[in-house]
Amino acid sequence: MRFRNLGDVRVGAVGFGTMPLSIEGRPGEARALATVHAALDAGVTLFDTADSYHPPGGAPGEGELLVARALAAYGGRTDDVLVATKGGRGRTADGGWTVDGRPEHLRRAAEASARRLGSTPIGLYQLHKPDPAVPYAESLGAIRELLDAGTVRLAGVSNVDTAQILLAREILGDRLVSVQNRYSPAIRESEPELRLCAELGLAFLPWSPLGGISRSSLDGASALEEDPDFGGFHRVARKRGVSPQRVALAWLLARSETVLPIPGASRPETVRDSAGASSLVLTGEELAVLNGH
């Protein structure tokens, strides 16, 4: 596993988005734990979760508790693991998603996340999404207070535009280390944010990084059949003898040295395949094909 920087922390270049282990359609406990352990065996050291990663009608923090159980049950070392969680979203009984960026909510949410993870400070705490009902500076001010109080070690923002990144940088300073936006072969609207992160030295964590190759966990079960719109990824994969998902992650890693993809998985073999993207270096010719889509 190659390494990249997330603030002053070195983490494996491919992380693990654990959302599929704790929302609707999640696997059983044994397979979920085995998937986290397979990621650790493969050298993954960045695990992403959120307090809102739970099935409709479930309790906030189920995903965080699962990650904590998996790490506690692992037989190897975990002292180099960075757990990233997020606050500021919730679930409705019918499966919808809510946003709550009120400072008082974020303070309570972060303290509850720290208890569930059994870790204070939280390694990386990310503001999940701007709340249109709350001035963004006020939500960011709560994150700054959590940093000052020692509840949070490093901070990140998610689902943001360039102006919001710059505001977060102004309020949080160099304790802002990451941006988590949707970015994939199919969804490239966050190109300006990716470029800004490269300029500022912020880690860029693409969520749903396999869009166009596999469907997001938010869309239901993965679609593994070839999408004709992204045939280049499949052609490169066949030539290399690897999965198109691995090619997509290698392509993301080549976009910028600040990119840290966090693909999801619900099976050990899937997370092992994703981790293998760290050692897949694409040629200039291959990148030209993939970038030209």
Side-chain angles (χ1 to χ4, degrees), residues 16-36 55 62 66 69 217 264-268:
F16 180 16
T18 64
M19 180 181 178
L21 301 181
S22 53
I23 64 166
E24 46 270 47
R26 60 186 175 177
E29 175 89 358
R31 197 174 91 191
L33 296 181
T35 303
V36 174
E62 287 187 32
L66 174 67
R69 288 196 301 274
S217 295
S266 60
R267 297 178 296 138

Side-chain angles (χ1 to χ4, degrees), residues 235-283:
R235 290 193 298 273
V236 171
R238 285 192 292 269
K239 183 178 178 181
R240 288 295 197 106
V242 298
S243 70
Q245 288 78 13
R246 189 180 297 193
V247 171
L249 295 172
W251 169 77
L252 284 166
L253 290 170
R255 300 297 289 163
S256 166
E257 286 295 318
T258 63
V259 170
L260 283 164
I262 48 171
S266 60
R267 297 178 296 138
E269 52 268 38
T270 305
V271 79
R272 283 193 290 265
D273 184 65
S274 292
S278 169
S279 59
L280 178 61
V281 179
L282 300 171
T283 67

Side-chain angles (χ1 to χ4, degrees), residues 136 140 160-170 193 196:
Y136 197 49
L140 291 167
V160 287
D161 59 28
T162 55
Q164 290 164 332
I165 294 171
L166 292 171
L167 179 59
R169 178 79 163 194
E170 178 183 338
E193 290 74 28
L196 179 59

